[in-house]
Amino acid sequence: MNKILEIRNLSKSYGRKGYKTMVLQDISMDIYEGDFIAIMGPSGSGKTTLLNLLSTLDKPDRGEILLEGDNVIKMKNKKLSLIRRDKIGFIFQDYNLLDNMTLQDNIALPLTLNGVSPEKTIQKVQEKAVRFGLEAHLKKYPYQLSGGQKQRAASARALITNPRILFADEPTGALDSRSSRDLLCCLKAANEEGSATILMVTHDVYTASYAKQVYFLRDGQIQCRLNHRGNRKEFYEEIMQMLASMGGEQE
C-alpha cells in the first residue's frame, strides 16, 4: 500500500516569544492510499490546526510533512501551488461555490483552469455527478440548491482532479441529518470504490463513524486511535465511549 503522507514530530504554537501557546506537540502519523481518517478531540485540542498544516494552508514551527516523499514545508510557493492544484483536494464547511456559475461549471472549474479539453471535462463532470447524485441539478445555480446538494457539489469538485488526498473541514457541520448521511455515503463510496484518500476533521460522532480510523487529539497530542471493524453502529458506540473518557466539549 502506497504511503501518501508522512508526518514526523510536528509542532505548532501561536503568539510571540514569551507569550506562546503550544497547540500541537510532536505529532507523528502515516496516511496510506485508501485511508479514510477522522480527527476528533475536545475544543482547543488542535484538530483544525493539524488539518491546516497537513493541507499546506499553514506551516509548523518544526517537524516534517512528506507528501509522497516530498517535504511540502520546504517547498517554494510556486511548487506548492502546483502540489495544491494537482495532489490536494479541499472540502470546506461553507461550500465555496461560485454563485454566478451553474453547478456543472462549478464542478468543472479545476479542470477548466488546468486546460483540460471540454469533451473530457464534460465526461468527468458527468461521472462525478452520478457518484454524488447531482445529475438532475447540473444546470442549476447554487442558490437553487439545498445545503446538502451544495456540499455534494463541493465534494465532486474537490475530487474531479483525482487528488492524492482530500481534506475535509467539518464537511457536515452546516447540514441536517439526512443531508449529512447522503454526503457521507457518497464520500464512503468515493473512498471504497474510487480509492479516494480522505482526512476530515469533525466534532460529530455520527460523521466520524463513517471513517476507517479515528484519531483523538487532546492538548495538542494524539491520545489514541480507533479502527473501524466493519459495523458502523458499534464503531459509533466506541467513539462515544472514547470521547466520554476524554471529557471536554466537542467543537
Side-chain angles (χ1 to χ4, degrees):
M1 193 177 296
N2 295 326
K3 195 178 291 186
I4 303 295
L5 270 182
E6 297 174 66
I7 298 101
R8 296 288 177 265
N9 306 117
L10 209 61
S11 295
K12 179 68 177 180
S13 61
Y14 291 107
R16 294 178 294 177
K17 189 174 180 180
Y19 299 93
K20 286 191 174 183
T21 300
M22 185 62 69
V23 182
L24 294 175
Q25 301 180 61
D26 294 321
I27 299 286
S28 294
M29 59 188 295
D30 292 325
I31 299 173
Y32 292 87
E33 188 172 23
D35 276 351
F36 188 169
I37 293 171
I39 306 289
M40 300 193 79
S43 176
S45 61
K47 302 185 299 291
T48 299
T49 298
L50 179 59
L51 183 75
N52 289 341
L53 294 177
L54 299 186
S55 61
T56 74
L57 297 178
D58 197 3
K59 290 197 173 184
D61 296 337
R62 62 181 181 272
E64 291 186 327
I65 302 171
L66 304 179
L67 177 58
E68 295 189 310
D70 293 324
N71 192 340
V72 298
I73 296 170
K74 295 181 179 179
M75 285 182 185
K76 305 248 182 199
N77 287 337
K78 186 174 181 180
K79 186 173 182 182
L80 200 54
S81 295
L82 294 176
I83 289 288
R84 290 179 183 135
R85 186 192 73 183
D86 298 334
K87 293 191 175 185
I88 295 175
F90 298 92
I91 305 175
F92 301 99
Q93 185 175 330
D94 57 358
Y95 322 129
N96 285 0
L97 297 177
L98 298 176
D99 291 333
N100 63 340
M101 296 174 66
T102 64
L103 196 61
Q104 177 172 297
D105 290 339
N106 265 288
I107 296 172
L109 187 59
L111 298 181
T112 303
L113 294 175
N114 287 355
V116 176
S117 71
E119 294 80 11
K120 189 171 182 180
T121 295
I122 290 172
Q123 177 190 344
K124 284 184 143 311
V125 169
Q126 289 291 341
E127 290 172 358
K128 288 293 182 275
V130 169
R131 181 176 291 282
F132 285 90
L134 296 166
E135 309 100 298
H137 306 289
L138 288 175
K139 297 303 181 183
K140 295 179 181 178
Y141 289 85
Y143 72 87
Q144 297 174 299
L145 303 171
S146 69
Q149 289 164 344
K150 285 190 274 193
Q151 191 62 301
R152 295 204 306 275
S155 302
R157 180 184 59 188
L159 287 167
I160 201 164
T161 58
N162 296 319
R164 299 300 291 141
I165 186 165
L166 174 68
F167 293 101
D169 185 9
E170 298 283 3
T172 62
L175 304 181
D176 59 35
S177 57
R178 181 176 177 179
S179 297
S180 295
R181 184 178 65 250
D182 290 345
L183 173 67
L184 291 165
C185 287
C186 289
L187 290 177
K188 188 170 184 284
N191 171 252
E192 293 180 348
E193 299 165 17
S195 299
T197 303
I198 302 171
L199 185 144
M200 69 178 175
V201 161
T202 182
H203 70 279
D204 182 66
V205 177
Y206 178 79
T207 298
S209 71
Y210 277 80
K212 292 177 179 175
Q213 304 96 18
V214 179
Y215 284 81
F216 296 88
L217 293 185
R218 185 174 181 85
D219 300 326
Q221 296 180 312
I222 295 174
Q223 295 295 306
C224 63
R225 183 186 80 179
L226 289 179
N227 293 319
H228 197 301
R229 292 193 291 268
N231 187 305
R232 194 187 60 75
K233 289 184 179 179
E234 290 179 4
F235 195 40
Y236 175 94
E237 292 299 327
E238 288 184 57
I239 297 168
M240 286 287 289
Q241 291 172 15
M242 181 58 66
L243 290 174
S245 71
M246 293 176 66
E249 184 180 354
Q250 302 302 311
E251 288 184 358

